[in-house]
Amino acid sequence: MTTQPLHIILMGAPGAGKSTQSRMLKARYQMNVLATGQMLRDEVTKQTALGLLADSYFQRGTLLPDDVMIAVITERLIHLTKNQSFLLDGFPRTVVQAEALDQLMQRQGDAIDAVISLSLSDQEAVRRLGGRRMCEGLGEPFPLHIDDKTSVEACVRLGGRLVTRPDDEPHVILERLRVYEEETAPLLDYYQHQGLLHTISAEGKPESVQEQIVQVLDGI
Ligand code: AMP
C-alpha cells in the first residue's frame, strides 16, 4: 500500500455508491473524506443559512451555485496539512468547480493524484435510489436499500431511524440524473485530458468495486 498522501476525487452518478466507497476508503487509507452532500445535509439539520439554502436545492434535485460550493470546500481544504490524504466525494460537480480546485491545489503547491469515476446505468441508478434509505441516529448516517432486510432490521434493532432523503423522492431522482449528465459528466473529459481519470463499473457488489479502486490507488 502506498505511504504517500493521496489526493483523490471520487465521481459518479447519483446511486453509484460514492458514500459507501468513501467510508471503506477512509478506513483503509485513513483519509479525510470531504463529502459535500453530507456536509450540506448536516447544515440542513442544524438549520443554518447554508442549510436552508441547500434544502431548497435538494427539493429540486439541482446543484447549489458554484461560488457557494467552492467557498465550502476551500474552507475545508486549506485546513488540511500537506501530508494529509483526502478524498473528495461530490466535489467538483461542474467544470467551473474543477478549475477552482486546480487553482487552489496549485496555490498550495499540491495536485490531485487520481480521479475515480464510478459508472452505472440509469436503470440501476433509479432502482438503487428509489429503494435507498438513510439509517440515522447511529453516528454518521449511512445508506441502505429497503430490499436488504438484514441491514434494515439491524438499523432499527440498534435504535436507528430509516429516513428517505428528500432528493431520493422519485420525481427528484430523474432530475438528478439529468443534472449529472448535463453538468457533471463533462468533467470526465476534463480529467481524461489531464491523464487522471480511472473509470470503474459500479454495477457489482461494494466489495468488488472497492477492490478495483484499491488497485488503482495502490498503483499511484
Ligand atoms: P450527494 O450526497 O453527493 O448526492 O449530494 C446531494 C446534493 O447536494 C446534490 O444533489 C446537490 O444538490 C448538492 N451538492 C453536493 N455537492 C455539490 C457540489 N459540488 N455542487 C453543487 N451542489 C452540490
Side-chain angles (χ1 to χ4, degrees):
M1 193 189 296
T2 178
T3 51
Q4 293 284 84
L6 290 170
H7 301 145
I8 306 300
I9 294 172
L10 185 61
M11 286 181 59
K18 293 190 302 295
S19 67
T20 303
Q21 293 303 326
S22 328
R23 258 203 326 281
M24 294 164 87
L25 292 167
K26 179 179 181 171
R28 186 179 175 107
Y29 294 97
Q30 283 88 49
M31 305 176 119
N32 294 281
V33 171
L34 305 181
T36 43
Q38 190 54 49
M39 284 176 198
L40 295 173
R41 284 188 288 280
D42 290 345
E43 297 293 321
V44 174
T45 306
K46 289 189 266 173
Q47 296 193 315
T48 62
L50 175 58
L52 290 177
L53 177 75
D55 204 22
S56 65
Y57 285 88
F58 289 171
Q59 307 294 336
R60 283 174 277 152
T62 51
L63 299 182
L64 274 78
D66 286 329
D67 56 346
V68 172
M69 296 312 299
I70 291 166
V72 166
I73 212 75
T74 302
E75 167 64 19
R76 300 290 179 111
L77 278 180
I78 56 174
H79 286 110
L80 295 181
T81 57
K82 246 178 120 62
N83 55 2
Q84 282 184 297
S85 293
F86 66 75
L87 178 141
L88 297 175
D89 163 357
F91 187 95
R93 262 175 150 105
T94 64
V95 171
V96 171
Q97 292 180 16
E99 287 168 350
L101 177 64
D102 279 349
Q103 283 163 18
L104 175 65
M105 295 299 287
Q106 249 167 34
R107 281 201 299 277
Q108 314 231 99
D110 245 326
I112 295 296
D113 298 303
V115 177
I116 310 281
S117 165
L118 301 178
S119 71
L120 191 71
S121 66
D122 279 2
Q123 199 187 4
E124 177 62 6
V126 169
R127 189 196 73 78
R128 288 187 187 179
L129 294 175
R132 180 163 73 177
R133 301 292 179 271
M134 299 303 283
C135 177
E136 293 188 358
L138 304 176
E140 186 80 5
F142 61 90
L144 47 80
H145 197 277
I146 44 171
D147 292 346
D148 177 1
K149 299 283 178 246
T150 314
S151 303
V152 169
E153 277 167 24
C155 170
V156 174
R157 195 176 56 246
L158 294 171
R161 299 180 305 280
L162 294 173
V163 179
T164 305
R165 278 172 46 168
D167 52 354
D168 281 346
E169 297 295 343
H171 64 287
V172 187
I173 292 174
L174 296 178
E175 177 63 3
R176 287 168 66 207
L177 290 170
R178 189 194 65 75
V179 167
Y180 179 83
E181 263 323 300
E182 204 168 297
E183 306 204 41
T184 307
L187 281 181
L188 299 177
D189 271 351
Y190 181 89
Y191 287 120
Q192 178 79 51
H193 279 124
Q194 295 191 7
L196 292 174
L197 185 68
H198 302 265
T199 302
I200 288 175
S201 166
E203 302 278 341
K205 290 206 176 308
E207 294 73 20
S208 84
V209 175
Q210 177 78 180
E211 239 171 70
Q212 295 175 69
I213 298 177
V214 165
Q215 265 179 24
V216 169
L217 299 190
D218 285 353
I220 290 172

